[in-house]
């Protein structure tokens, strides 16, 4: 089970911090990730972290503005979002992969998903 929180309404240029914690079967993770889906668009990759190397991955659209971090032992991840833009408006989902073969940027490697948290950036 995944629990995401931290979404809300913010003005352009502002910041939000999303949190996601995993429990139960999802606790043994190899990677955790954030994806987002804007109205009328497909879900897209935002950021991920692979625990074994602590390597972070980012979509080009958020690089330099978003920072992923987390605590492997607690299976918790955070997404610090700074310099937010209206185009960042979306439902943000956290996801967990337990596969050693995971390609962290690809949605199909994540079988476990949280319920989503809404982020709205006003101009």
């Amino acid at each position: 089970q995944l629990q995401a929180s931290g979404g809300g309404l913010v003005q352009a240029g502002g910041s939000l911090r999303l949190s996601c914690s995993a429990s139960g079967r999802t606790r043994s993770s190899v990677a955790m990730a954030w994806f987002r889906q804007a109205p009328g668009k497909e879900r897209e990759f935002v950021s991920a972290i692979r625990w074994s190397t602590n390597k972070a991955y980012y979509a080009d659209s958020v690089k330099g503005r978003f920072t992923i971090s987390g605590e492997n032992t607690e299976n918790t991840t955070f997404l610090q979002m700074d310099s937010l833009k209206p185009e960042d408006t979306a439902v943000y989902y956290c996801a967990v992969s337990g596969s050693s073969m995971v390609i962290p940027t690809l949605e199909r490697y994540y079988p476990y998903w949280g319920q989503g948290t809404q982020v709205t950036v006003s101009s």
Side-chain angles (χ1 to χ4, degrees), residues 18-84:
L18 305 184
S19 302
C20 178
S21 60
S23 61
R25 291 179 61 189
T26 57
R27 231 180 133 78
S28 301
S29 68
V30 173
M32 293 184 76
W34 292 93
F35 291 78
R36 67 186 181 187
Q37 187 167 22
K41 294 188 176 181
E42 292 189 352
R43 191 157 57 187
E44 64 176 3
F45 169 77
V46 176
S47 183
I49 186 165
R50 185 194 293 268
W51 294 125
S52 62
T53 58
N54 235 23
K55 181 177 173 61
Y57 303 79
Y58 297 98
D60 287 343
S61 58
V62 306
K63 211 170 283 185
R65 299 188 298 121
F66 290 12
T67 304
I68 192 170
S69 62
E71 192 61 49
N72 186 11
T73 55
E74 297 295 324
N75 258 329
T76 300
T77 185
F78 306 99
L79 187 67
Q80 178 66 39
M81 305 187 296
D82 298 319
S83 302
L84 282 161

